[in-house]
Amino acid sequence: MSAGEDIVVLGGGLTRFARERSDGTPIDWMVEAALDGIRDAGVDPAEIEHSLVAYESEILARQLSMGQVIQDALAFCPRPSIRVEAGGGTGGAAIRTAYAYVKSGLCDSILVVGCDAVGRGVTSATVREVYALSGDVDFEMAAGGFFMAYYALMMQEHIRLYGTTEEQMAHVSVKNHRNAQSNPMACMPMAITIDDVLNSPPVVAPYKRLDCAVLADGASSLVIATESWARQHASSWRDRPRVYLTGVGCGTDRVRLGDRPKPYPGLAHFRAKKEAAQMAYRMAGIENPRQDLDVAEVADTYTGAELQAYEDLGFCDYGQSGPLTERGVFDLGGELPTNTSGGLIGQGAPPGAMGLAQAVEVLKQLRGECPKERQVEGARRGLTDIHGGTASFSVVSILERRD
Amino acid sequence: MTDLVKHKLDVIENADPFGRSGIDDPWHAFRNVERLDMELHFQFKHSLGKVSPFFLALEEKRLLATRCPECGKVWMPPRVHCGDDLAITDWVEVAGTGILEASSLSAYTLTTGGGKDTLILGYVTLEGTDTAMLQQIRNCQDPGKLVPGTVMTVKWATEPVDHPMQLFWFELAD
Ligand SMILES: [Zn+2]
């Protein structure tokens, strides 16, 4: 056990994200993703010291204590394990918890595996109702509130404050669906236009169907370890670019939007995200995120949420996310390509898997292993941003390549 | 397919999600998948807890907020501890008018989608309170009139409802 060492992301794995994965159970997908990550790390699974299982809703998976079930399925018994949950931010919480476990010396290596089963195996009304339980239940849910509406209300305020347009929001949808086209794991690869988004059926104003990430089935994994464990145990250590986890920040905000302080964050801003980002930037020594980062996976539950995120992550000034997006700053080939995987909109949004999947994408970007259509040339430093609720809980992580 | 299993939904021959087929598919012997129709029922005796006087007062067409004795902030929805300094709050009755902060027209509800039912939700800061409350906005023929800053007024249900929060909603003030 060696506390305080630098922390390495040794491997990342995915299974196919899809609207319905009736070909297997959530346990099956998790094993697929875990084995893919272990293979990618080049380690013997019998030597990994710990596991961490990330999922939001055991009810929707019809399996409680999934951490214990997956431990069994992966032949990890009797080694230690922990389950982590933070709503949509579960994957971020998992990365930060794994960092703490290896940094503290509690273990030197950990397999992180996440999933959720929210595709068509369960009705979308059931998912909406169960997820509404993750916000304010007795006042807001009882008044008819649900998460799509909360995000829509935030964006109405962003539009009022800054004149953000539905075309600018649509640009995010076009970009993320387009990026997903070179991602074989993605569930929504699409070549669409701004007009397609604007003309898609209304959901909750200002959002239309193509502004929204889709609920999906899927699983993902990471292998995280100390540098010395990686050197001793990973066949990938000698012949692959090395990627370190250099910043893990976390922030929170009040659950009800109406209780948040005014003018900041008010209804329109993600204070938790700003807190998490600044913490991660301090750890990683980042001063100007748009310059210092080469690639970013940003929480795009809705197109507008991605724009709001740019501002609180410090990629641009408040009110500038829309105009910069229209200018292509965040497209592939732009100054800071975002959601090269397709993001939640293009790749799919199983809560427990999506935050880890972001790190898998950044890891492959930094190693130069993405398909050429979406590879950001010479990427050295990347960010992941994921949150739960209306960013009542938020985690930002920084990954960095060191040769 | 027999009908010996009552909850059997269907049996489907799944394709490999990675597009492999035949013996190239490592799971070719595992592709025949049976699905079941399943339901899970929960029933609760759900306590509304210390804020219950708020919900009970709604039956008398009264709106109760809470005021912090330390900092003076008035919370609506009410909090039994001040959300800033944790002091135990006092009940205060507030008037049924307020200012619209934001609103959105939804083609979805908790249980329906695709425009079967529409719903307008809004945040309103009631007069004499310091926080905004989410509630439904009804009887608004023109959502374009729901501009932030507009005065809204509370209306009360006269027919029985399922949950106390359905006892009131907001409408545009005359
Ligand atoms: Zn107070």
Side-chain angles (χ1 to χ4, degrees):
Chain A
M1 307 258 173
S2 36
E5 269 194 68
D6 286 351
I7 307 303
V8 180
V9 183
L10 260 182
L14 292 172
T15 189
R16 176 78 201 271
F17 286 23
R19 296 306 294 278
E20 185 172 1
R21 283 289 308 270
S22 60
D23 62 289
T25 66
I27 303 301
D28 294 333
W29 319 329
M30 280 173 123
V31 172
E32 288 172 10
L35 294 178
D36 188 43
I38 289 165
R39 223 174 6 247
D40 185 57
V43 299
D44 177 353
E47 293 182 345
I48 301 176
E49 294 172 3
H50 212 295
S51 79
L52 184 158
V53 181
Y55 58 96
E56 176 176 20
S57 175
E58 49 273 275
I59 294 299
L60 295 175
R62 298 192 79 259
Q63 173 68 64
L64 272 64
S65 295
M66 198 139 59
Q68 293 158 37
V69 177
I70 191 74
Q71 192 78 351
D72 180 340
L74 280 169
F76 255 55
C77 306
R79 281 167 276 171
S81 176
I82 181 76
R83 179 259 174 117
V84 165
E85 187 279 329
T90 295
I95 293 169
R96 194 161 183 267
T97 304
Y99 179 93
Y101 270 60
V102 287
K103 192 75 175 175
S104 68
L106 200 53
C107 61
D108 285 328
S109 55
I110 188 164
L111 170 69
V112 184
V113 53
C115 105
D116 259 294
V118 294
R120 289 187 177 130
V122 55
T123 69
S124 57
T126 298
V127 175
R128 209 148 56 233
E129 199 167 353
V130 170
Y131 280 174
L133 293 169
S134 61
D136 177 274
V137 174
D138 288 336
F139 296 99
E140 297 201 328
M141 181 186 177
F146 53 103
F147 272 91
M148 289 196 292
Y150 306 150
Y151 278 97
L153 287 160
M154 292 186 95
M155 204 55 207
Q156 296 285 54
E157 178 69 353
H158 199 274
I159 289 168
R160 187 184 73 83
L161 287 173
Y162 305 117
T164 310
T165 67
E166 297 188 21
E167 286 78 6
Q168 291 165 344
M169 290 155 53
H171 190 110
V172 172
S173 174
V174 172
K175 166 178 75 73
N176 293 357
H177 283 111
R178 183 178 59 224
N179 290 352
Q181 288 179 287
S182 65
N183 179 357
M185 301 296 168
C187 100
M188 294 296 280
M190 288 164 80
I192 54 171
T193 64
I194 301 279
D195 281 341
D196 291 333
V197 182
L198 296 177
N199 294 326
S200 62
V203 175
V204 190
Y207 289 129
K208 278 82 60 187
R209 188 173 295 160
L210 285 172
D211 284 303
C212 309
V214 292
L215 294 165
D217 293 337
S220 50
S221 76
L222 294 172
V223 178
I224 292 174
T226 60
E227 189 177 44
S228 55
W229 191 93
R231 187 176 297 116
Q232 285 163 28
H233 294 86
S235 63
S236 63
W237 187 251
R238 280 164 295 279
D239 47 12
R240 302 268 288 286
R242 295 160 190 173
V243 174
Y244 291 75
L245 188 54
T246 58
V248 279
C250 178
T252 59
D253 211 337
R254 294 197 183 279
V255 171
R256 291 190 297 249
L257 295 169
D259 285 356
R260 295 181 182 178
K262 290 194 277 190
Y264 185 85
L267 293 179
H269 304 297
F270 291 132
R271 178 170 60 161
K273 210 162 272 211
K274 185 175 188 175
E275 184 80 10
Q278 289 183 348
M279 196 178 291
Y281 295 160
R282 274 196 302 277
M283 286 177 76
I286 289 175
E287 284 168 3
N288 182 342
R290 198 157 105 218
Q291 269 172 22
D292 297 350
L293 294 165
D294 303 306
V295 63
E297 291 283 306
V298 175
D300 57 329
T301 333
Y302 300 90
T303 52
E306 178 166 323
L307 298 179
Q308 292 167 278
Y310 291 164
E311 297 170 0
D312 287 302
L313 293 171
F315 295 177
C316 62
D317 289 337
Y318 290 102
Q320 286 306 300
S321 58
L324 290 182
T325 294
E326 267 181 329
R327 288 198 345 235
V329 166
F330 304 106
D331 289 353
L332 280 165
E335 200 180 331
L336 175 54
T338 58
N339 288 330
T340 56
S341 70
L344 312 183
I345 287 174
Q347 180 162 251
M354 62 201 191
L356 300 177
Q358 292 179 320
V360 174
E361 174 70 8
V362 171
L363 171 68
K364 306 222 162 175
Q365 283 285 1
L366 300 184
R367 284 185 188 151
E369 292 175 350
C370 285
K372 66 177 187 329
E373 296 90 336
R374 72 174 201 273
Q375 178 65 47
V376 177
E377 279 311 312
R380 307 284 306 179
R381 191 141 63 167
L383 168 147
T384 68
D385 151 58
I386 198 75
H387 67 255
T390 43
S392 312
F393 173 91
S394 186
V395 171
V396 169
S397 305
I398 307 295
L399 282 75
E400 212 168 321
R401 172 172 170 165
R402 290 186 198 153
D403 292 333
Chain B
M1 189 156 113
T2 73
D3 49 12
L4 283 168
V5 178
K6 290 182 186 168
H7 285 284
K8 184 187 281 189
L9 175 66
D10 53 17
V11 177
I12 42 183
E13 179 76 34
N14 271 277
D16 175 30
F18 298 96
R20 297 163 298 193
S21 62
I23 52 162
D24 292 334
D25 176 5
W27 300 104
H28 65 269
F30 301 84
R31 288 296 179 206
N32 222 21
V33 168
E34 177 175 0
R35 295 197 301 175
L36 303 178
D37 228 334
M38 300 296 282
E39 287 187 9
L40 199 56
H41 292 287
F42 297 98
Q43 274 194 306
F44 301 92
K45 293 191 169 90
H46 179 75
S47 169
L48 292 169
K50 292 172 181 166
V51 286
S52 291
F54 165 84
F55 295 104
L56 291 166
L58 295 176
E59 295 179 42
E60 299 163 4
K61 300 185 172 45
R62 293 167 62 224
L63 289 165
L64 295 183
T66 55
R67 178 189 284 125
C68 173
E70 296 293 327
C71 69
K73 188 163 177 174
V74 179
W75 296 90
M76 190 63 157
R79 288 176 180 251
V80 297
H81 286 99
C82 175
D84 289 340
D85 54 39
L86 299 183
I88 296 178
T89 54
D90 302 315
W91 291 107
V92 285
E93 187 163 350
V94 298
T97 54
I99 299 295
L100 182 68
E101 307 280 350
S103 67
S104 174
L105 170 67
S106 176
Y108 283 69
T109 69
L110 267 178
T111 51
T112 64
K116 271 186 221 126
D117 301 291
T118 60
L119 172 72
I120 302 178
L121 287 165
Y123 273 105
V124 172
T125 302
L126 285 165
E127 212 174 299
T129 73
D130 297 305
T131 55
M133 178 178 228
L134 184 88
Q135 189 48 285
Q136 294 186 25
I137 296 168
R138 295 194 193 159
N139 299 316
C140 174
Q141 311 318 326
D142 178 11
K145 286 189 176 157
L146 295 172
V147 182
T150 302
V151 180
M152 306 298 293
T153 183
V154 169
K155 298 285 177 182
W156 297 98
T158 50
E159 298 296 319
V161 296
D162 292 327
H163 188 286
M165 281 301 285
Q166 297 165 348
L167 288 166
F168 75 106
W169 59 89
F170 290 108
E171 293 186 8
L172 284 163
D174 300 324

